[in-house]
Amino acid sequence: MNILNLLEWTADRREGRIETKRSTSYNGVDLSTKQMRKMSTLSAGQLLEMAKFVIPPLQYSKHKGQAGRVAVIGGCKEYTGAPYFAAISALKAGADLSHVFCTEAASPVIKSYSPELIVHPVLDWTNSVEEILQWLPRFHSIIVGPGLGREEKILKSTSAVIEEAKQRKLPIVIDADGLFLVTQNPDIIKGYDNVVLTPNVAEFGRLYKKIFNKDADSEEPVESLKQLCCELGHVTIVHKGLHDIISDGDKVLTYSNPGSPRRCGGQGDLLSGSMGLFAAWAKFAQDRSTNEGCSSPTYKFGMQAAYLACALTRECSRRAFELNGRSMTTTDMISQIHPSFEHMFT
């Protein structure tokens, strides 16, 4: 779809002249009817019902922190935008407090982007693990990887934080250089079903090859995804692409509404940041449902969080591109979080 066609498509869809259609190819590979049957796409009504289950209502009686406290582990001298985008996206989507744990060199830069983020310049300190762990009990979820870099010392500290987060059963979203860490040591998340991995095509391929010692079957992306989820102990994985395919090894969801053809850096950070918040909210909802003796939801909270975040990110991308075209950046997308959220989830 070229830019002109996309603009015509968005105008037609906005005016109600066409229905949203799902493409039947994935990264250039045609999906068979059998594969499509394995993938579920929620209707607008089902998406809204999921959102109502997961997203807590705004209430005057609540106090600061009850709507979510999230932390981003990432940010080094070279990469300061990614942790900012992830943390501010969580905040703009509705988190009460958003923290960033970064290196000392990255801290003043990230602070200059926004006074609303709480920035901790400790990631490269010798006692970084102790510094982060004293904050960990306050958080409802953590996002690992945006701008993390690949310095061995920092990756080792990050591994220790992940281990402690697992002990506390915190939802964890892992993206970018966090996926590099997981590919180097898959055991760090194996069997932990409170984690969501968000690989793109290349990252998925590297992780799959690490686990199975062979390339993923590009003709069977759904089966390859389910195999990887199962082998890692039924973790949730969002395989990003033309379709965002989400699975925990048992169930499969796909989100296919077009975003935009503009692939500026930072869009994945908006996804991981909002997903970290949705993961916290979905766990709140799941725990509440369990305590009240309600029936279990159709999808585990990791898949719920992933689906809502994919939907929000693509809608932000669509709206930002409609306004800015080739000039669209992730900052433009972040400005669309509120209208996209209101349009899709209320």
Side-chain angles (χ1 to χ4, degrees), residues 7 10 14 34 54 80 90 99 102 105 110 123 129-130 133 137 141 144 184 195 202 237 290 344:
L7 290 173
T10 54
R14 188 171 59 250
K34 180 181 178 183
V54 169
T80 59
H99 295 244
C102 60
I110 297 171
L123 201 51
V129 176
E130 290 79 6
L133 293 190
S141 65
V144 177
Q184 298 303 303
V195 70
I237 299 178
T290 300
M344 303 191 79

Side-chain angles (χ1 to χ4, degrees), residues 123-126 128 150-158:
L123 201 51
D124 52 351
W125 290 7
T126 55
S128 61
R150 298 185 179 183
E151 186 178 327
E152 184 176 353
K153 175 186 172 184
I154 291 175
L155 293 178
K156 185 176 180 181
S157 298
T158 303

Side-chain angles (χ1 to χ4, degrees), residues 70-88:
V70 303
V72 175
I73 312 297
C76 61
K77 182 179 179 180
E78 293 84 1
Y79 305 115
T80 59
Y84 162 74
F85 286 140
I88 201 68

Side-chain angles (χ1 to χ4, degrees), residues 259-284:
S260 82
R262 172 79 167 116
R263 303 308 306 156
C264 56
Q267 296 184 60
D269 303 310
L270 192 161
L271 177 68
S272 62
S274 60
M275 195 179 300
L277 175 62
F278 286 134
W281 284 350
K283 191 168 190 304
F284 291 165

Side-chain angles (χ1 to χ4, degrees), residues 12-240:
D12 286 342
R13 181 177 178 225
R14 188 171 59 250
E15 296 300 325
R17 290 191 290 267
I18 61 172
E19 296 292 328
T20 301
K21 294 183 180 179
R22 182 171 62 182
S23 170
T24 57
S25 67
Y26 180 76
N27 297 316
V29 176
D30 288 336
L31 295 175
S32 66
T33 302
K34 180 181 178 183
Q35 288 173 321
M36 295 297 286
R37 282 200 298 267
K38 296 175 182 176
M39 302 161 64
S40 298
T41 299
L42 303 184
S43 67
Q46 290 171 314
L47 175 61
L48 184 59
E49 285 303 309
M50 179 185 284
K52 287 180 177 179
F53 176 78
V54 169
I55 298 170
L58 293 172
Q59 296 175 333
Y60 288 104
S61 59
K62 286 188 174 181
H63 59 75
K64 181 176 67 178
Q66 285 185 296
R69 299 183 295 269
V70 303
V72 175
I73 312 297
C76 61
K77 182 179 179 180
E78 293 84 1
Y79 305 115
T80 59
Y84 162 74
F85 286 140
I88 201 68
S89 295
L91 199 63
K92 291 287 188 178
D96 283 348
L97 295 168
S98 192
H99 295 244
V100 178
F101 291 87
C102 60
T103 66
E104 199 159 8
S107 173
V109 183
I110 297 171
K111 286 182 178 181
S112 74
Y113 294 151
S114 172
E116 289 140 346
L117 304 180
I118 302 168
V119 183
H120 308 262
V122 303
L123 201 51
D124 52 351
W125 290 7
T126 55
N127 64 335
S128 61
V129 176
E130 290 79 6
E131 289 288 333
I132 297 172
L133 293 190
Q134 69 176 337
W135 284 90
L136 208 59
R138 307 185 188 196
F139 300 132
H140 298 117
S141 65
I142 63 172
I143 301 130
V144 177
L148 184 66
R150 298 185 179 183
E151 186 178 327
E152 184 176 353
K153 175 186 172 184
I154 291 175
L155 293 178
K156 185 176 180 181
S157 298
T158 303
S159 297
V161 173
I162 291 173
E163 292 291 353
E164 183 63 26
K166 286 162 54 180
Q167 293 299 315
R168 295 182 175 276
K169 301 190 182 305
L170 278 177
I172 307 173
V173 174
I174 300 183
D175 187 31
D177 288 324
L179 293 169
F180 172 81
L181 174 60
V182 170
T183 302
Q184 298 303 303
N185 178 22
D187 287 342
I188 196 170
I189 53 90
K190 193 169 186 177
Y192 186 62
D193 60 4
N194 286 4
V195 70
V196 184
L197 309 181
T198 62
N200 59 28
V201 175
E203 291 163 339
F204 180 86
R206 287 192 288 267
L207 182 56
Y208 188 95
K209 190 166 187 175
K210 172 72 174 183
I211 297 298
F212 295 105
N213 198 31
K214 64 178 181 179
D215 292 330
D217 186 351
S218 61
E219 300 293 329
E220 292 286 346
V222 179
E223 284 305 312
S224 294
L225 175 59
K226 291 178 69 176
Q227 289 168 6
L228 185 57
C229 294
C230 291
E231 188 65 24
L232 289 174
H234 291 275
V235 304
T236 299
I237 299 178
V238 182
H239 191 345
K240 298 183 294 191

